[in-house]
């Protein structure tokens, strides 16, 4: 009796298996049962809660924004991501990433992100997001890999200078 080895199926490369944050954000945004029960608004600061983990290669956060609430200028510590506005309108300004000895530079203009829209970004993205509208806003954020650190920036004219870091498990 002869035994013939069967060819083993090949697995897709790791590149093909990486999560696509925009697709995940859209899927979760389109499933209100996953996030709607978690919506809370806080008059003093943005409310944020991490959705229960469903994968090791990304994380999902729900954020709520009353009028006037926003973030400082920040990056995502090398994580790529996307956010979906699921209620209201958010306004984003972004900057070119810092390079060598050059600081990040604010890109003129702002982007309005209305309910139903998804904003993907790469691992070097620097931005500031605010609810500049008159009504509350809600958004779903996906980061891949999960956030470990975020650098905050201080704006000086059109330039952004690093002003410190926040670490997962320490500052949030």
């Amino acid at each position: 009796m002869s035994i013939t080895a069967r060819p083993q199926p090949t697995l897709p490369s790791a590149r093909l298996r990486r999560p696509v944050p925009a697709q995940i954000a859209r899927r979760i945004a389109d499933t209100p049962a996953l996030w709607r029960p978690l919506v809370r608004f806080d008059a003093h600061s943005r409310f944020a809660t991490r959705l229960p983990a469903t994968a090791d290669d990304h994380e999902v956060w729900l954020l709520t924004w009353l009028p006037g609430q926003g973030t400082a200028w920040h990056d995502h510590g090398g994580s790529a991501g996307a956010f979906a506005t699921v209620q209201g309108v958010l306004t984003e300004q972004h900057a070119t990433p810092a390079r060598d000895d050059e600081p990040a530079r604010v890109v003129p203009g702002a982007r309005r992100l209305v309910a139903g829209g998804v904003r993907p970004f790469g691992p070097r993205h620097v931005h500031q997001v605010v609810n500049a509208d008159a009504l509350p806003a809600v958004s779903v954020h996906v980061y891949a890999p999960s956030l470990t650190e975020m650098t905050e920036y201080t704006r000086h004219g059109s330039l952004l200078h690093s002003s410190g870091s926040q670490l997962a498990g320490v500052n949030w």
Side-chain angles (χ1 to χ4, degrees), residues 100-149:
D100 299 322
D101 292 335
E102 292 186 31
R105 184 175 299 276
V106 175
V107 174
R111 179 183 308 219
R112 285 178 45 90
L113 306 156
V114 300
V118 176
R119 169 65 161 118
F121 53 85
R124 298 187 65 215
H125 190 65
V126 177
H127 68 166
Q128 178 183 50
V129 180
V130 65
N131 179 356
D133 216 51
L135 299 172
V138 179
S139 54
V140 172
H141 299 243
V142 177
Y143 304 101
S146 297
L147 293 174
T148 57
E149 179 178 16

Side-chain angles (χ1 to χ4, degrees), residues 44-162:
H44 302 289
S45 66
R46 287 177 300 116
F47 172 78
T49 188
R50 188 172 188 237
L51 274 65
T54 56
D56 293 333
D57 57 1
H58 68 276
E59 66 182 345
V60 181
W61 288 79
L62 175 78
L63 279 73
T64 66
W65 318 68
L66 288 174
Q69 292 179 341
T71 69
W73 282 96
H74 67 281
D75 66 24
H76 302 97
S79 293
F83 65 97
T85 306
V86 295
Q87 175 183 315
V89 179
L90 294 172
T91 301
E92 178 198 38
Q93 284 191 278
H94 73 280
T96 60
R99 291 198 168 103
D100 299 322
D101 292 335
E102 292 186 31
R105 184 175 299 276
V106 175
V107 174
R111 179 183 308 219
R112 285 178 45 90
L113 306 156
V114 300
V118 176
R119 169 65 161 118
F121 53 85
R124 298 187 65 215
H125 190 65
V126 177
H127 68 166
Q128 178 183 50
V129 180
V130 65
N131 179 356
D133 216 51
L135 299 172
V138 179
S139 54
V140 172
H141 299 243
V142 177
Y143 304 101
S146 297
L147 293 174
T148 57
E149 179 178 16
M150 291 176 31
T151 301
E152 289 189 339
Y153 297 85
T154 302
R155 184 174 179 169
H156 300 282
S158 66
L159 301 179
L160 299 177
H161 298 279
S162 173

Side-chain angles (χ1 to χ4, degrees), residues 10-65:
T10 57
L11 297 174
S13 71
R15 180 173 168 80
L16 296 175
R17 288 194 318 254
R18 285 189 187 146
V20 179
Q23 291 174 354
I24 297 167
R26 165 67 62 211
R27 182 172 38 84
I28 291 172
D30 289 343
T31 312
L34 295 174
W35 55 266
R36 177 86 48 210
L38 303 173
V39 171
R40 307 278 183 275
F41 291 97
D42 183 328
H44 302 289
S45 66
R46 287 177 300 116
F47 172 78
T49 188
R50 188 172 188 237
L51 274 65
T54 56
D56 293 333
D57 57 1
H58 68 276
E59 66 182 345
V60 181
W61 288 79
L62 175 78
L63 279 73
T64 66
W65 318 68

